[in-house]
């Protein structure tokens, strides 16, 4: 087996194990049923802590990932997963769950090391192949986790709490698996290859990539789209189980796991065939903005469907439509952005855009979720998220019309 393929498979197995979390689709029901917290406390006091933690740590994680050459941060990712699910299992108090959310923020922030490690270990000519491997492993892990959790709950072989033991087990396995990954000898900024003739300091190179990228109006356009779209998506996926619990909490068996598994499959297919779909719809240059504005407005309308109904299964459909549309739009947006960037600046720009998304999400959480500014229930909050996407789409549509008129 070729060296690059062996490394890619080792990392992909880590990604598969990390994302195989059978308890994830049922975490809200688990907290409400097995911990000393109410649904309102989960909504306003528990989940927001993870959002704030993720925001604070995201940009730090990106920089120290490069400085420490990826592998140590992958290990920290595994350790933080073990701590998170251990606390979920063995703490009862609100404070204990909030501490778990702090470590969950670490878990999410260090995810960047998984996606960037492989590019430091293989030749540029293999980037497409290894990207496909690592992304597919994530999708497969989420599918297996969702499907397995649903089967075990439906057959009553396990309850919501017992599923967390399986998730803890996969986090332990992926942490030990890290030791099989080869060390990285160089990185983009702080540990450059000796054969690199660029004599600029790390800070100078960071500033050069930042300035060069954001001097391009198209990079700014697609970066804003990426940040705003991700902000709304993470917010929706964080609180969707609270919405479902609000709509109908009397179901003997809920189908959250099946829904998440199906979404994973749909998202994988849409992502895989995004370029072909783009060609069929003639999505090129300025037409990207127009058609993606329409698709983004449909994302908002699908959230209205998910929130307005009193039938849980209709809400499931609305959420699946939203996630599938998002998978397509964010893939097209990411590809359009990547085409405008220098190769070595990919990680920096996407890291900055992710951080901006998290700052926006934190502001959205303070205003909409915390109860300190607006006092809204879960259904009303989802109307806000729907409006967020629709207004976002309208603004970009207006910008598109302005650009055409200007020409």
């Amino acid at each position: 087996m070729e060296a690059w393929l062996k490394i890619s498979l080792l990392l992909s197995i880590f990604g598969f194990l990390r994302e195989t979390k059978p308890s994830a689709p049922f975490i809200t029901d688990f907290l409400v049923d097995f911990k000393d917290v109410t649904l309102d406390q989960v909504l306003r006091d528990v989940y927001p802590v993870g959002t704030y933690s993720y925001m604070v740590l995201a940009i730090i994680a990106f920089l120290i990932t490069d400085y420490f050459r990826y592998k140590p941060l992958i290990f920290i990712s595994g350790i933080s997963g073990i701590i998170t699910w251990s606390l979920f299992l063995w703490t009862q108090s609100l404070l204990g769950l909030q501490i778990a959310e702090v470590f969950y923020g670490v878990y999410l922030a260090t995810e960047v090391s998984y996606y960037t490690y492989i590019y430091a270990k293989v030749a540029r000519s293999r980037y497409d192949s290894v990207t496909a491997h690592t992304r597919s492993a994530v999708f497969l892990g989420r599918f297996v986790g969702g499907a397995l959790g649903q089967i075990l709950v439906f057959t009553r072989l396990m309850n919501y709490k017992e599923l967390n033991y399986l998730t803890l087990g996969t986090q332990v396995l992926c942490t030990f698996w890290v030791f099989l990954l080869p060390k990285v000898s160089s990185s983009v900024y702080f540990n450059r290859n000796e054969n690199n003739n660029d004599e600029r300091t790390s800070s100078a190179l960071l500033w050069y990539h930042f300035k060069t990228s954001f001097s391009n109006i198209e990079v700014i356009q697609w970066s804003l789209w990426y940040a705003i779209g991700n902000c709304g998506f993470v917010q929706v996926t964080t609180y969707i189980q609270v919405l479902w619990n609000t709509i109908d909490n009397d179901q003997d068996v809920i189908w959250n796991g099946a829904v998440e598994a199906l979404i994973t499959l749909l998202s994988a297919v849409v992502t895989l065939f995004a370029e072909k779909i783009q060609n069929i719809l003639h999505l090129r240059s300025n037409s990207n903005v127009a058609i993606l504005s329409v698709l983004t407005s449909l994302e908002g309308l699908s959230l209205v469907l998910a929130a307005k109904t009193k039938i849980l299964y209709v809400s499931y459909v609305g959420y699946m439509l939203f996630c599938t549309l998002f998978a397509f739009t964010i893939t097209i947006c990411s590809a359009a952005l990547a085409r405008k960037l220098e190769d070595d600046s990919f990680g920096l720009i996407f890291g900055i855009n992710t951080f901006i998304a998290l700052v926006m999400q934190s502001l959205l959480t303070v205003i909409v979720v915390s109860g300190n500014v607006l006092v809204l229930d879960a259904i009303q909050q989802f109307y806000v998220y729907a409006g967020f996407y629709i207004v976002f789409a309208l603004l970009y549509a207006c910008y598109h019309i302005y650009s055409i008129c200007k020409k």
Side-chain angles (χ1 to χ4, degrees):
M1 182 182 294
E2 295 183 58
W4 73 269
L5 182 57
K6 180 180 178 181
I7 295 169
S8 182
L9 291 177
L10 285 172
L11 187 65
S12 295
I13 291 171
F14 169 86
F16 169 78
L17 291 171
R18 185 181 186 275
E19 294 300 322
T20 303
K21 301 189 284 275
S23 63
F26 308 97
I27 193 68
T28 298
D29 292 272
F30 159 67
L31 295 177
V32 173
D33 291 352
F34 289 89
K35 302 298 176 182
D36 298 331
V37 291
T38 64
L39 182 63
D40 191 65
Q41 286 178 308
V42 171
L43 173 66
R44 303 188 193 282
D45 299 325
V46 178
Y47 287 164
V49 176
T51 298
Y52 305 143
S53 172
Y54 186 12
M55 179 198 70
V56 171
L57 295 167
I59 198 71
I60 299 172
F62 169 76
L63 292 175
I64 65 174
T65 292
D66 187 277
Y67 184 81
F68 289 108
R69 290 175 287 191
Y70 311 103
K71 186 174 175 178
L73 270 292
I74 298 177
F75 180 73
I76 291 173
S77 176
I79 291 293
S80 59
I82 293 172
I83 295 172
T84 298
W85 270 274
S86 295
L87 287 168
F88 277 155
L89 280 166
W90 291 298
T91 190
Q92 286 294 123
S93 68
L94 174 61
L95 177 60
L97 295 175
Q98 289 173 326
I99 294 172
E101 285 292 316
V102 171
F103 282 100
Y104 187 61
V106 177
Y107 180 76
L108 294 175
T110 50
E111 184 180 42
V112 65
S113 58
Y114 169 74
Y115 288 111
T116 52
Y117 166 92
I118 195 67
Y119 302 116
K121 287 298 295 180
V122 303
R124 194 178 299 277
S125 60
R126 301 294 185 183
Y127 278 9
D128 288 346
S129 297
V130 298
T131 298
H133 294 165
T134 52
R135 294 284 179 180
S136 298
V138 167
F139 281 131
L140 182 61
R142 290 175 183 171
F143 172 77
V144 170
L148 179 61
Q150 187 64 64
I151 291 169
L152 293 172
V153 167
F154 179 74
T155 57
R156 302 185 188 278
L157 292 174
M158 284 188 171
N159 59 32
Y160 301 142
K161 180 177 181 179
E162 291 165 339
L163 291 179
N164 285 278
Y165 290 106
L166 294 181
T167 300
L168 177 59
T170 60
Q171 302 311 301
V172 171
L173 286 174
C174 78
T175 302
F176 279 105
W177 193 263
V178 174
F179 292 106
L180 298 178
L181 296 175
K183 291 182 179 180
V184 175
S185 58
S186 63
S187 61
V188 175
Y189 295 109
F190 297 105
N191 300 280
R192 279 176 282 175
N193 195 302
E194 292 180 359
N195 297 324
N196 192 322
N197 296 321
D198 193 333
E199 296 181 356
R200 287 173 292 190
T201 63
S202 301
S203 57
L205 187 58
L206 280 163
W207 173 245
Y208 170 76
H209 282 159
F210 176 86
K211 183 177 68 173
T212 304
S213 299
F214 287 108
S215 296
N216 185 330
I217 188 64
E218 290 190 76
V219 169
I220 295 174
Q221 170 188 301
W222 291 115
S223 291
L224 278 174
W225 195 303
Y226 182 92
I228 295 171
N230 265 299
C231 163
F233 178 75
V234 175
Q235 190 76 353
V236 167
T237 54
T238 300
Y239 295 99
I240 189 64
Q241 292 180 38
V242 177
L243 174 68
W244 290 338
N245 203 290
T246 302
I247 291 172
D248 188 350
N249 62 358
D250 295 326
Q251 295 276 338
D252 289 335
V253 177
I254 57 177
W255 295 93
N256 299 9
V259 169
E260 294 292 352
L262 184 56
I263 285 171
T264 301
L265 281 182
L266 291 172
S267 298
V269 170
V270 166
T271 302
L272 184 63
F273 293 103
E275 186 175 358
K276 292 183 179 179
I277 297 171
Q278 186 181 22
N279 291 333
I280 292 171
L281 295 177
H282 305 294
L283 287 176
R284 282 292 180 268
S285 190
N286 284 338
S287 63
N288 273 350
V289 178
I291 296 179
L292 289 183
S293 293
V294 174
L295 295 177
T296 302
S297 65
L298 291 176
E299 290 175 36
L301 293 174
S302 66
L303 290 179
V304 173
L305 175 65
K308 192 172 181 62
T309 183
K310 295 182 179 179
I311 303 171
L312 184 59
Y313 299 107
V314 176
S315 186
Y316 283 155
V317 171
Y319 177 62
M320 286 191 288
L321 285 172
F322 167 77
C323 289
T324 305
L325 287 167
F326 175 80
F328 177 73
T329 56
I330 202 66
T331 300
I332 298 303
C333 173
S334 299
L337 177 57
R339 284 194 291 269
K340 304 296 179 182
L341 298 175
E342 293 187 22
D343 288 348
D344 285 344
S345 66
F346 286 177
L348 174 66
I349 302 307
F350 279 102
I352 290 171
N353 292 343
T354 299
F355 178 70
I356 293 170
L358 292 170
V359 171
M360 291 179 178
Q361 189 200 356
S362 297
L363 291 173
L364 200 58
T365 299
V366 170
I367 295 168
V368 177
V369 179
S370 68
N372 296 324
V373 180
L374 299 176
V375 182
L376 305 174
D377 62 29
I379 294 173
Q380 292 170 327
Q381 288 174 22
F382 269 76
Y383 288 151
V384 173
Y385 306 149
F388 179 81
Y389 272 98
I390 292 170
V391 170
F392 165 41
L394 288 174
L395 288 174
Y396 263 81
C398 291
Y399 170 77
H400 177 61
I401 294 170
Y402 169 77
S403 299
I404 293 174
C405 293
K406 191 177 180 180
K407 289 181 179 179

